């Protein structure tokens, strides 16, 4: 799709704010009425307000990047001056002033002791700066960009978040020294973007100041190895007025395979105005947080628990044939279907239905797991029943799945959980193609039957909605909306009662969908992430302006007596262009400024871990039940017992100590995190969910040479060393075994004996080559003399 055009004219103030103007175009807003008060009183952010403008002349007459930085610093400095007066009246003011430098060092040492590894890239920082940077990155105290550190500390204190007094002590000391720069967070998006812009275009802008901003050459526009340009990219490359050398445009934060987008997308990203976010936090939280489709902890359990088992059409066709050996269970290699025997349609249908039943039965386990950790909102997977809406291989869910789904609905009703679905991106009721419309209606009928078979109570049944995107524009938005109106009339009553429209990040904004939602009585779900990427010219990027539409959006839900819901996610930290920003971050850093009783769906890669991150950061209900996972160790599973050796059977007696007998967990406690609730894994540590990888460590032998021992982990290594004496097969080779195998013939000069020795040496070398590719190579040449 073509890049979204952004307006060049001035936008009116829509947030009840006064403005400080610096020059002709640079403006930094300072809120005069908090968003919290506006939300409680129900005031619209579109109300007209008076503006007080303070003009600061620009000596150069131009709005340079340095002017923008100075403007932001002035605004932060004024915020700090106001907050200092408030802090003086607090009892914490006197306590913070008594904190000495030695106490600050002890505080930082305690923070460092809680980490498993030391922090990096902080060798040149003093203790005060390290403490302030940790405060900036602590998301539980709210956003840190565009707000003075002292104001952020005061806000967290008023919300009962217990910010560290050491931070207040440092800020007060620096304020007394007259250091205004201490109030600004070191991670500032505006500074980051401007520095990145300067580093990429400094050389070109100095040589040709009148030309457009040169853009780093995208990876797909680079020449091939032999120096011949790519034909497909030659036209795109000609649009750039000047392409700097790779040394000048190297981006240290982008990977070699990262798609940085077209030249137009990069130009748009560099000229994008900074987002205007609200400082309101919906605390205390009274709503429900949820995630979509998959629980990472249960997915890697044994046995795995998930509801998206699927297959290919080729597998359905293959399963129509009987097994080669019907008396034995199916095996991927040893006992596959025999294509030479006649096919049976019922046999293939039974195979695909068995996948759907396994998915449906696992919903009960996932719901009880969610309830244990305070999650009461879940999106069911659309792949639960493979190819159920297919034109040829589709099928109805009743009666074979009715009981399994009814049991899942009974548990959801018992626990008070909300269940929803989200049909895929190819379900589009505004498409001009007839086959797409027919497939979309079949898919909606499948989701409607799925939710109906849950047999939920009336209110939970109304809340079980189907979220749908409008889809493509097809060159004409008005014509697409007309087709949507016509196809909407064809839908069944149950589908109309459940259908919900969502704004997207490619074609349809909130302002595009609100009119059609009001006209057809369809609720609209607000996606904050999509709105930041694609929004109308009437509002600015960020969470502040969109709050003015809350009343209209929520009203679309209340007309049908459905509980409102919203979606929240964040882009990856390295994303710049709209195409890159569409990718969801593994976790989110803060809560959006939604009403505190909202049902909020967190759309993140780490699924339930992203919800846990918010619960722990903001102390939301249920956070005390969550504890860190032990790396590679599951304490809530029944592992199969290994068969006893002859020696172990001989040593086993009837009066064995009961403490040594393995405890068998009941079915309802398996994979539930154990009594301590060890289900949280830190960001980037997804490997903790799986068993430790097999590693190969060199072990020094008694003769000073290296021998290779395969172990699974450090604990396994100690276990193996402890049993080496009692079980020779599990440890290293017996002493002198290699010497006996490679010994030189010294007893006789017989030529046949020499040949036998050479044969042994060759066999030993072949044996060495057959070692695992993961094993560390050891040189045995010194043993062969």
């Amino acid at each position: 799709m073509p890049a979204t055009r952004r307006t060049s004219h001035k936008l009116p103030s829509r947030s009840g704010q006064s403005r400080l103007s610096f020059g002709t175009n640079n403006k930094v807003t300072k809120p005069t009425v908090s968003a919290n008060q506006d939300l409680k009183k129900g005031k619209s952010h579109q109300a007209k307000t008076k503006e007080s403008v303070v003009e600061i002349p620009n000596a150069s007459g131009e709005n340079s990047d340095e002017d923008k930085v100075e403007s932001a610093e002035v605004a932060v400095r004024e915020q700090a001056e106001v907050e200092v007066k408030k802090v003086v009246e607090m009892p914490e003011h006197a306590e913070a002033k008594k904190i000495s430098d030695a106490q600050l060092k002890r505080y930082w040492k305690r923070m460092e002791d809680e980490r498993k590894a030391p922090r990096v890239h902080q060798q040149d920082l003093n203790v005060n700066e390290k403490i302030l940077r940790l405060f900036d990155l602590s998301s539980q105290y709210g956003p840190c960009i565009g707000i003075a550190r002292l104001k952020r500390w005061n806000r967290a204190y008023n919300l009962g978040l217990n910010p560290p007094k050491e931070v207040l002590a440092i800020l007060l000391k620096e304020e007394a020294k007259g250091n205004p720069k201490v109030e600004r967070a070191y991670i500032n998006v505006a500074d980051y973007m401007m520095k990145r812009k300067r580093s990429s275009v400094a050389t070109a802008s100095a040589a040709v100041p009148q030309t457009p901003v040169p853009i780093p050459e995208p990876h797909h526009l680079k020449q091939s190895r032999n120096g011949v340009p790519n034909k497909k990219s030659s036209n795109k490359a000609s649009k750039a007025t000047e392409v700097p050398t790779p040394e000048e445009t190297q981006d240290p934060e982008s990977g070699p395979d990262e798609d940085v987008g077209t030249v137009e997308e990069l130009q748009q990203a560099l000229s994008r105005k900074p987002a205007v976010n609200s400082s309101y936090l919906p605390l205390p939280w009274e709503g429900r947080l949820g995630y979509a489709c998959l629980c990472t902890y249960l997915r890697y359990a044994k046995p795995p628990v998930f509801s998206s088992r699927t297959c290919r059409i080729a597998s359905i066709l293959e399963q129509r044939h009987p097994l080669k050996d019907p008396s034995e269970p199916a095996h991927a290699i040893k006992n596959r279907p025999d294509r030479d025997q006649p096919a049976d349609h019922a046999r293939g249908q039974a195979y695909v239905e068995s996948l759907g039943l396994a998915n449906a039965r696992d919903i009960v386990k996932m719901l009880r797991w969610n309830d244990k950790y305070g999650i009461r909102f879940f999106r069911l997977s659309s792949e639960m029943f493979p190819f159920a809406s297919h034109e040829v291989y589709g099928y109805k869910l009743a009666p074979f799945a009715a009981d399994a789904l009814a049991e899942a609905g009974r548990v959801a009703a018992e626990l008070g959980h909300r269940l929803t679905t989200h049909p895929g991106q190819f379900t589009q009721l505004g498409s001009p193609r007839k086959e797409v419309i027919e497939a979309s209606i079949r898919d909606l009928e499948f989701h409607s039957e799925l939710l109906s078979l849950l047999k939920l109570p009336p209110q939970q049944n109304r809340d079980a909605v189907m979220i749908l995107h409008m889809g493509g524009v097809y060159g004409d938005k008005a014509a697409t909306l007309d087709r949507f109106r016509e196809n909407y009339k064809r839908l069944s009553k149950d589908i109309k009662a459940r259908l919900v429209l969502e704004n997207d990040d490619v074609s349809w904004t909130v302002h595009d969908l609100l009119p059609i939602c009001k006209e057809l009585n369809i609720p609209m779900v607000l996606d904050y992430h999509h709105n930041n990427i694609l929004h109308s010219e009437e509002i600015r990027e960020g969470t502040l302006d969109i709050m003015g539409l809350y009343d209209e959006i929520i009203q679309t839900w209340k007309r049908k007596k459905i509980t409102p819901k919203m979606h929240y996610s964040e882009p990856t930290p390295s994303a710049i262009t709209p195409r890159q920003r569409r990718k969801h971050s593994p976790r989110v850093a803060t809560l959006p400024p939604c009403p505190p009783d909202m049902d909020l769906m967190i759309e993140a890669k780490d699924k339930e871990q992203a919800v846990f991150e918010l619960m722990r950061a903001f102390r939301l209900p249920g956070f005390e039940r969550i504890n860190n996972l032990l790396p590679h160790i599951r304490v809530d599973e029944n592992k199969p017992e290994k068969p006893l050796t002859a020696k172990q059977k001989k040593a086993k007696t009837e009066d064995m100590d009961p403490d040594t007998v393995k405890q068998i967990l009941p079915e309802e406690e398996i994979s539930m995190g154990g009594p301590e609730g060890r289900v949280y894994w830190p960001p980037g540590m997804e490997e903790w969910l799986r068993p430790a990888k097999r590693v190969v460590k060199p072990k020094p032998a008694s003769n000073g040479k290296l021998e290779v021992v395969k172990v699974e982990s450090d604990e396994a290594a100690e276990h193996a060393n402890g049993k080496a004496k009692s079980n020779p097969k599990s440890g290293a080779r017996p002493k002198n075994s290699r010497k006996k195998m490679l010994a030189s013939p010294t007893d006789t000069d017989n030529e046949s004996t020499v040949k036998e020795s050479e044969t042994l040496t060759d066999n030993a070398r072949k044996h060495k080559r057959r070692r695992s590719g993961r094993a560390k190579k050891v040189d045995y040449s010194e043993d062969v003399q």
Side-chain angles (χ1 to χ4, degrees):
M1 299 304 299
T4 306
R5 296 181 179 178
R6 297 186 180 272
T7 179
S8 59
H9 63 271
K10 299 180 180 179
L11 293 174
S13 175
R14 308 179 63 86
S15 58
Q17 295 182 342
S18 60
R19 289 184 175 178
L20 296 177
S21 177
F22 306 91
T24 56
N25 293 326
N26 297 328
K27 293 184 178 181
V28 177
T29 60
K30 183 178 71 173
T32 57
V33 180
S34 66
N36 192 357
Q37 295 174 355
D38 285 356
L39 192 64
K40 291 181 178 179
K41 295 179 181 180
K43 294 181 179 180
S44 173
H45 289 274
Q46 299 179 354
K48 297 181 180 180
T49 58
K50 296 182 180 180
E51 297 184 356
S52 58
V53 181
V54 180
E55 294 291 338
I56 296 180
N58 191 348
S60 62
E62 298 178 358
N63 296 320
S64 62
D65 294 341
E66 288 76 7
D67 294 336
K68 297 179 181 179
V69 176
E70 293 175 1
S71 303
E73 288 180 355
V74 171
V76 171
R77 196 178 310 155
E78 291 186 355
Q79 292 179 4
E81 293 175 357
V82 175
E83 297 301 323
V84 168
K85 300 177 182 178
K86 298 179 181 179
V87 174
V88 175
E89 302 175 358
M90 296 181 181
E92 283 73 11
H93 178 267
E95 298 178 10
K97 281 209 165 187
K98 295 179 181 178
I99 296 178
S100 62
D101 293 341
Q103 290 175 315
L104 292 176
K105 291 181 180 179
R106 288 195 295 269
Y107 167 78
W108 181 249
K109 187 177 184 303
R110 291 198 305 271
M111 294 295 101
E112 287 291 277
D113 293 342
E114 294 178 359
R115 292 176 56 86
K116 294 186 177 180
R119 304 176 195 271
V120 297
H121 308 306
Q122 292 192 356
Q123 296 82 357
D124 300 331
L125 302 178
N126 55 34
V127 175
N128 290 0
E129 183 62 24
K130 291 178 181 179
I131 295 175
L132 292 178
R133 292 196 177 193
L134 177 62
F135 177 66
D136 293 340
L137 294 177
S138 300
S139 60
Q140 65 265 32
Y141 305 126
C144 67
I145 296 173
I147 183 174
R149 281 169 169 165
L150 191 55
K151 181 177 180 180
R152 183 167 175 257
W153 192 96
N154 283 344
R155 184 182 63 181
Y157 175 79
N158 294 330
L159 290 173
L161 300 179
N162 298 323
K165 297 178 183 178
E166 289 76 8
V167 174
L168 178 61
I170 296 173
L171 294 177
L172 292 177
K173 290 180 181 180
E174 295 297 329
E175 285 289 341
K177 296 178 183 179
N179 181 15
K181 293 184 179 180
V182 74
E183 290 294 344
R184 196 174 186 194
Y186 85 102
I187 46 172
N188 190 295
V189 174
D191 287 353
Y192 170 75
M193 291 298 296
M194 283 185 285
K195 289 178 182 178
R196 194 166 187 171
K197 182 177 178 180
R198 289 195 202 103
S199 62
S200 62
V201 304
T203 304
S205 61
V208 189
Q210 301 295 332
T211 57
V213 177
I215 304 301
E217 183 182 11
H219 296 285
H220 64 275
L221 300 183
K222 292 183 178 180
Q223 293 182 345
S224 59
R225 293 182 178 180
N226 57 5
V228 179
N230 189 353
K231 294 181 180 180
K232 296 182 179 180
S233 61
S234 59
N235 295 333
K236 297 180 180 180
S238 62
K239 296 181 180 180
T241 58
E242 180 178 355
V243 180
T245 61
E247 290 78 9
E248 297 172 355
T249 61
Q250 184 67 28
D251 183 4
E253 297 189 6
S254 63
D257 299 329
E258 184 178 355
D259 185 7
V260 298
T262 63
V263 174
E264 291 80 3
E265 289 177 336
L266 285 170
Q267 288 177 341
Q268 177 187 358
L270 292 176
S271 61
R272 181 167 58 92
K273 297 180 180 179
V276 183
N277 292 312
S278 170
S279 61
Y280 169 73
L281 285 174
L283 299 177
W285 179 255
E286 301 174 358
R288 293 180 287 193
L289 293 178
Y291 64 96
C293 305
L294 176 72
C295 176
T296 63
Y297 184 86
L298 293 177
R299 179 61 181 88
Y300 291 104
K302 290 184 179 180
V305 179
F306 64 110
S307 60
S308 55
R309 300 172 181 85
T310 186
C311 64
R312 299 181 302 167
I313 292 179
S315 300
I316 300 176
L317 298 178
E318 185 181 30
Q319 292 297 328
R320 292 180 178 180
H321 301 273
L323 296 175
K324 291 182 179 180
D325 187 358
S327 61
E328 295 292 331
H331 192 273
I333 299 176
K334 299 180 181 179
N335 195 18
R336 294 181 60 85
D338 189 0
R339 291 179 176 272
D340 296 334
Q341 300 186 35
D344 185 2
H345 182 276
R347 189 182 291 110
Q349 185 63 27
Y351 165 74
V352 71
E353 289 179 358
S354 66
L355 295 177
L357 284 175
N359 291 332
R361 293 183 181 123
D362 278 354
I363 297 177
V364 175
K365 185 77 171 183
M366 298 170 74
L367 292 177
R368 295 199 180 278
W369 192 93
N370 289 344
D371 188 73
K372 180 179 179 180
Y373 299 105
I375 300 176
R376 298 181 293 118
F377 186 16
F378 185 66
R379 178 188 297 170
L380 299 177
S381 173
S382 296
E383 299 179 355
M384 189 182 304
F385 295 93
F387 300 102
S389 62
H390 195 273
E391 182 180 8
V392 178
Y393 303 98
Y395 50 91
K396 294 291 184 181
L397 305 184
F400 81 94
D403 294 339
L405 291 175
E407 176 62 17
R410 185 191 65 79
V411 174
E414 172 191 338
L415 302 176
H417 288 205
R418 181 175 187 176
L419 301 177
T420 62
T421 59
H422 195 329
Q425 58 181 336
F426 301 107
T427 304
Q428 301 182 11
L429 294 177
S431 173
R433 299 173 55 190
K434 182 179 179 181
E435 57 270 23
V436 174
I437 298 299
E438 298 300 328
S440 299
I441 295 178
R442 287 197 307 271
D443 194 45
L444 292 176
E445 290 174 348
F446 153 68
H447 285 85
S448 175
E449 183 185 11
L450 169 63
L451 295 175
S452 299
L453 290 176
L454 294 173
K455 305 296 183 183
L456 295 169
Q459 184 58 48
Q460 286 180 282
N461 187 50
R462 285 194 295 269
D463 293 344
V465 296
M466 303 183 298
I467 296 92
L468 187 68
H469 289 291
M470 181 64 71
V473 176
Y474 309 106
D476 190 348
K477 281 191 174 182
T480 302
L481 291 174
D482 290 338
R483 288 191 295 269
F484 180 86
R485 293 184 182 94
E486 292 299 323
N487 296 321
Y488 181 78
K489 298 177 182 178
R490 300 175 52 187
L491 303 179
S492 65
K493 183 179 179 180
D494 186 72
I495 295 178
K496 290 180 179 180
R498 300 184 187 276
L499 194 65
V500 175
L501 287 179
E502 177 190 358
N503 60 303
D504 59 61
D505 53 8
V506 180
S507 304
W508 298 91
T509 67
V510 175
H511 286 82
D512 292 332
L513 297 181
L514 261 180
I516 192 72
C517 289
K518 294 178 181 179
E519 175 187 345
L520 301 179
N521 195 17
I522 300 175
M524 202 205 84
V525 58
L526 170 64
D527 191 301
Y528 288 94
H529 178 60
H530 294 168
N531 181 71
N532 284 338
I533 299 175
L534 182 68
H535 52 84
S536 67
E537 297 179 353
E538 301 178 28
I539 61 175
R540 297 167 294 181
E541 179 183 339
T543 59
L544 183 60
D545 289 359
I546 196 62
M547 295 176 70
L549 298 176
Y550 278 3
D551 293 339
E552 297 182 58
I553 294 174
I554 294 177
Q555 191 61 33
T556 61
W557 296 84
K558 290 185 176 180
R559 287 188 300 179
K560 301 181 79 169
K561 298 181 180 180
I562 303 177
T563 305
K565 69 186 291 280
M566 292 182 178
H567 294 175
Y568 183 72
S569 55
E570 295 174 359
T572 54
S574 60
I576 300 176
T577 64
R579 186 181 306 179
Q580 293 173 334
R581 294 170 65 202
R582 291 172 194 155
K583 183 179 179 181
H584 290 178
S585 176
R587 304 193 185 186
V588 295
T590 186
L591 288 168
C594 62
D597 59 347
M598 180 62 62
D599 285 352
L600 188 64
M601 176 63 65
I602 305 299
E603 298 180 321
K605 178 184 175 183
D606 287 349
K607 303 298 182 179
E608 83 288 349
Q609 300 297 321
V611 178
F612 289 163
E613 201 74 40
L614 288 176
M615 294 172 66
R616 301 181 86 179
F618 294 100
R619 303 296 190 267
L620 302 184
F623 83 95
E624 66 280 353
R625 312 173 198 169
I626 306 165
N627 289 301
N628 284 13
L629 181 72
L630 297 176
H632 314 295
I633 297 176
R634 295 283 185 121
V635 297
D636 54 359
E637 294 178 352
N638 289 325
K639 297 182 179 179
E641 294 186 1
K642 296 181 180 180
L644 298 177
T645 62
K647 188 174 182 179
Q648 290 173 336
K649 290 180 180 179
K650 187 177 180 180
K652 186 176 181 181
T653 58
E654 296 181 358
D655 55 345
M656 184 179 294
D657 187 359
D659 294 337
T660 62
V661 179
K662 184 177 180 181
Q663 299 294 329
I664 303 299
L665 294 176
E667 180 67 26
E668 60 271 12
E669 295 182 12
I670 296 177
S671 300
M672 295 297 289
E676 297 179 348
R678 296 192 176 277
V679 293
Y680 171 83
W681 46 274
M685 294 291 118
E686 189 175 359
E687 61 181 15
W688 286 11
L689 295 170
R690 297 180 285 271
K693 294 182 179 180
R694 292 176 60 88
V695 297
V696 179
K697 294 184 178 181
K699 177 183 176 182
S702 59
N703 55 5
K705 299 171 185 177
L706 294 178
E707 294 184 0
V708 176
V709 179
K710 292 184 179 181
V711 297
E712 294 186 355
S713 62
D714 294 339
E715 294 81 6
E718 297 175 359
H719 181 71
N721 294 336
K723 290 188 176 181
K725 296 181 180 179
S726 61
N727 188 7
K729 295 182 180 180
S730 63
R733 296 170 179 260
K735 292 184 178 180
N736 302 326
S737 62
R738 192 186 300 112
K739 290 184 178 180
K740 291 180 180 179
M741 183 173 61
L742 304 178
S744 300
T746 56
D747 297 337
T748 179
D749 294 333
N750 194 324
E751 186 176 351
S752 62
T753 307
V754 175
K755 291 182 179 180
E756 290 177 2
S757 176
E758 293 176 354
T759 303
L760 288 174
T761 303
D762 294 338
N763 291 338
R765 290 171 180 168
K766 291 179 181 178
H767 178 73
K768 181 184 70 173
R769 287 196 297 269
R770 287 197 299 268
R771 288 181 178 273
S772 170
R774 295 176 294 177
K776 183 177 180 180
K777 295 183 179 180
V778 182
D779 188 7
Y780 298 106
S781 58
E782 60 183 20
D783 293 340
V784 184
Q785 301 292 341

